[in-house]
Each structure stands twice: as C-alpha cells, then as structure tokens.
Amino acid sequence: FDQDRAKKLAAEAALPYVEADTIVGVGTGSTVNYFIDALATIKHQIAGAVSSSEASTERLKQHGIPVYDLNGVADLAIYVDGADEINGQLEMIKGGGAALTREKIVAAVANKVICIADVSKQVDVLGQFPLPVEVIPMARSYVAREIVKLGGDPAYREGVVTDNGNVILDVYSLHIEKPVELESKLNQITGVVTNGLFAARPADIALLSDGSQVFTLER
Ligand code: DER
C-alpha cells in the first residue's frame, strides 16, 4: 500500500467539492499539501483560501493562491483537512502537525468539513494515536497532572512551539469510547487551549483512499 499515492488520491478527490468563486478553508499536513497542489490547478476558479498554519499559508502563496485572514471571512463553504485517526462516526484525532488550534478554528467556521486521508487513519476506537493537547506553557505541569487523573499518560512534545506560542502534550494510553465527553472534559482543564479531539464537530465527509480507489463516507 503506497501511502503517499493514497494521500494524493484522497486529496484530489476533494476538488469536486470546491465551489467556484469561494474561499476554501485549508488544513495542515502532508495530505493537505497534496490538496493545495491540486487546488493550484483550479486556482483561477476560486477566490482564495483561509489557512490553518504558517506552513499551509506558505505553500498556498507559492502557488499564487490568495490567503485571507479569517476575520475578514463571514462564511466558508468547506474546510479540507487531514487526520491522524478517524472513526466510523467521522470523529477525529488531529494535531500530529501541531496545528490543531487554528485547524479547529477554521473548521468551526466552515459549513462543511471534509477529511482527506489514507486508510491507515481509519480506526474503530480513537486513542491509538497519542492525543495532542495544546497548552499555555506555564500550565503544562498542572495540565499533565489533571490528564493523569483522567487516565491519560501525557508526554511533553519537546522543542515544539505552536504558531500561537503554546506547547503540546501528547496523551498516550487512551481508549476513547466517548470522544465528545473526553473532548469536553479536556476543554475544562484550566490552561488547555485546544485538544485534538474533533468529535463535538466531526467531519461531514471523509474521503479515504488505499492508493487505488477512494471511499466516500458521509455522516
Ligand atoms: O496535524 C494535523 O491535524 C494533520 O492534519 C494530521 O492530522 C494529518 O497529517 P498527515 O496528512 O501528514 O498525515
């Protein structure tokens, strides 16, 4: 199974969902990079993009695609992004690329969230992939202690500072049977900025590929 080819096929399958003359919400990661490259082939049909990271902004600009500030955009038809894990309810774990906060913000604005991924991301139960949690630096140890109380095993992602100047804890040993509940519990911990559970607002559509075909899942 050629994972890169699978990512590329999934990304290209998102193109038909791009509406003419609209601003497209763009996520972050290697699968999204294939989407940005595909978007460039129809860049004259779109108004531009809103990005979820400096990295995606840079790639969009290299293709000559205008990048807008989210504060100037009242309506986003679609948001296209990858995932680290996605379950049967299209709930996701995201944040492997440390962009989870801006990803979750742009996803919140979008009318429709489209997940593009290779089939290795599909799971029955979320939690094999360590759950990223973005934390205000001074709160890191306190949040880690609170996460232990929730049954997680938090590890500081050394040397990583997010686009927002925060740090990340990756939480191991979770078996997440109730993603919406855990997402809410994590959000209640003082010092947590964002957690990587995209469950309260899951994807509306998932385009998943094994490298030869693309499977479309809808909520
Ligand atoms: O960090 C993120 O949320 C990315 O979207 C990640 O989940 C997917 O990255 P990949 O496409 O490089 O696997």
Side-chain angles (χ1 to χ4, degrees):
F1 146 71
D2 179 345
Q3 188 177 29
D4 280 331
R5 177 159 172 70
K7 291 182 175 185
K8 188 168 185 291
L9 285 184
E12 289 167 354
L15 275 190
Y17 292 89
V18 175
E19 294 170 25
D21 305 320
T22 60
I23 296 173
V24 184
V26 175
T28 295
S30 61
T31 310
V32 163
N33 286 343
Y34 284 119
F35 174 67
I36 294 172
D37 296 348
L39 201 59
T41 66
I42 60 164
K43 73 179 181 183
H44 301 302
Q45 296 171 37
I46 61 170
V50 164
S51 171
S52 59
S53 66
E54 303 302 323
S56 290
T57 295
E58 189 53 41
R59 198 178 190 96
L60 286 159
K61 287 184 171 177
Q62 280 167 3
H63 282 298
I65 298 173
V67 179
Y68 292 90
D69 182 320
L70 184 64
N71 291 316
V73 175
D75 182 56
L76 272 183
I78 62 168
Y79 175 67
V80 179
D81 200 353
D84 295 299
E85 281 187 346
I86 184 165
N87 69 13
Q89 290 70 41
L90 304 194
E91 298 162 325
M92 299 174 281
I93 284 185
K94 290 178 53 53
L100 63 159
T101 294
R102 296 188 184 188
E103 289 175 336
K104 214 168 192 178
I105 292 167
V106 183
V109 172
N111 298 330
K112 191 170 282 192
V113 172
I114 300 172
C115 175
I116 53 175
D118 66 87
V119 290
S120 76
K121 310 300 184 68
Q122 270 187 299
V123 298
D124 290 330
V125 180
L126 297 173
Q128 277 296 318
F129 187 92
L131 175 63
V133 180
E134 183 162 340
V135 182
I136 299 292
M138 73 175 286
R140 174 168 57 88
S141 299
Y142 164 71
V143 171
R145 292 193 296 272
E146 291 302 301
I147 286 175
V148 169
K149 292 179 191 171
L150 292 176
D153 176 15
Y156 174 38
R157 198 183 296 186
E158 299 273 355
V160 170
V161 176
T162 69
D163 286 349
N164 314 303
N166 299 315
V167 295
I168 293 198
L169 293 173
D170 291 303
V171 186
Y172 291 80
S173 315
L174 293 171
H175 184 76
I176 309 171
E177 301 280 0
K178 297 181 179 172
V180 174
E181 186 179 301
L182 181 59
E183 180 178 1
S184 176
K185 282 183 180 171
L186 288 168
N187 284 337
Q188 302 309 314
I189 302 173
T190 304
V192 167
V193 173
T194 307
N195 72 85
L197 278 170
F198 283 52
R201 182 12 192 324
D204 299 289
I205 295 172
L207 303 172
L208 305 171
S209 177
D210 61 1
S212 61
Q213 54 187 328
V214 177
F215 308 99
T216 301
L217 282 70
E218 298 205 42
R219 270 182 69 76

